[in-house]
């Protein structure tokens, strides 16, 4: 499943990179929790939580319904 999550993140990266940020996949647990690290401008952005939940998490769950949650480290 880790490879499939990475594929979805690759689709989202251009938008994040356009704003000076990026996302790095850290781990995918067996119980469907995806751990990511927001980097660059996304790491300190006040909208990072919204980007994580409304952007990244929603896109991953649309493609991979078995994912329960996306969390930032």
């Amino acid at each position: 499943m880790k490879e499939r999550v990475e594929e979805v993140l690759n689709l989202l990266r251009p938008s994040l990179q356009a704003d000076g940020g990026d996302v790095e996949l850290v781990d995918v647990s067996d119980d469907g929790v995806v751990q990511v690290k927001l980097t660059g401008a996304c790491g300190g952005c006040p909208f990072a939580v919204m980007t994580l939940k409304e952007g990244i998490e929603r896109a991953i769950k649309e493609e991979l319904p078995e994912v329960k949650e996306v969390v930032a480290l």
Side-chain angles (χ1 to χ4, degrees), residues 36 38 48-58 70-72:
V36 298
L38 296 172
V49 172
M50 188 182 334
T51 298
L52 179 71
K53 293 298 180 181
E54 296 299 322
I56 297 170
E57 183 175 83
R58 183 168 32 162
V70 177
V71 297

Side-chain angles (χ1 to χ4, degrees), residues 40-69:
C42 291
C45 175
F47 296 107
V49 172
M50 188 182 334
T51 298
L52 179 71
K53 293 298 180 181
E54 296 299 322
I56 297 170
E57 183 175 83
R58 183 168 32 162
I60 291 173
K61 284 181 167 182
E62 282 178 12
E63 294 297 318
L64 305 165
E66 61 270 28
V67 169
K68 304 292 184 237
E69 183 179 19

Side-chain angles (χ1 to χ4, degrees), residues 2-3 6 8 10 14 26 30 33 38-39 42-43 46 56 58 64:
K2 194 170 186 175
E3 294 82 17
E6 191 67 58
V8 175
N10 285 335
V26 176
D30 292 336
V33 177
L38 296 172
T39 60
C42 291
I56 297 170
R58 183 168 32 162
L64 305 165

